[in-house]
Amino acid sequence: QLQLVESGGGLVQAGGSLRLSCVASGSTFRSYRMGWFRQGPGKEREFVATIDWSGTSIDYAHSVNGRFTASRDNDKNTLYLQMNTLKPEDTADYYCAAGGLGSLPHEYYYWGQGTQVTVSS
């Protein structure tokens, strides 16, 4: 079992930045491919980024590519998402997930509780 806890969400103006963290416990964090997903109001959960166990292979959704950066520190059991140049359409609950293969939410075994990001215009 792997427990995931996100933090770092909040309210920010358009053009601003936030850094989300996801701390893992209960199992071997470095064994898992990790993902970031988000779910906006009235929308389905969507893929944001995925990062392999080593942190060297990272894929992004087109909508965030060039603005968001995913990274991980396996020694600290922590996953990060640096979000720059935020837009109102980035407003969503952001979730970290573990154990998947790529961009599909149903592939991931473990999920955090989410952290809310609100971008004002």
Side-chain angles (χ1 to χ4, degrees):
Q1 289 283 346
L2 188 70
Q3 290 80 45
L4 303 172
V5 179
E6 302 97 334
S7 62
L11 173 63
V12 63
Q13 288 187 333
S17 298
L18 282 175
R19 189 194 197 200
L20 305 184
S21 299
C22 170
V23 178
S25 62
S27 186
T28 309
F29 173 72
R30 67 177 66 243
S31 300
Y32 295 95
R33 168 176 286 275
M34 300 296 295
W36 283 105
F37 295 83
R38 67 186 183 186
Q39 188 165 12
K43 298 181 180 180
E44 294 187 352
R45 190 165 297 188
E46 65 174 3
F47 166 72
V48 174
T50 183
I51 183 169
D52 75 337
W53 70 273
S54 68
T56 58
S57 176
I58 308 171
D59 292 313
Y60 297 96
H62 177 75
S63 58
V64 307
N65 196 27
R67 300 188 297 122
F68 290 11
T69 301
S71 62
R72 65 191 296 165
D73 186 334
N74 287 337
D75 291 334
K76 295 182 178 180
N77 289 347
T78 303
L79 173 73
Y80 302 100
L81 185 68
Q82 177 66 44
M83 306 186 295
N84 298 329
T85 319
L86 283 160
K87 305 175 181 179
E89 50 263 43
D90 294 319
T91 294
D93 292 325
Y94 283 72
Y95 300 87
C96 64
L101 301 175
S103 63
L104 299 177
H106 72 262
E107 295 176 341
Y108 285 77
Y109 300 137
Y110 303 109
W111 291 83
Q113 83 291 347
T115 186
Q116 188 173 57
V117 172
T118 303
V119 184
S120 62
S121 58

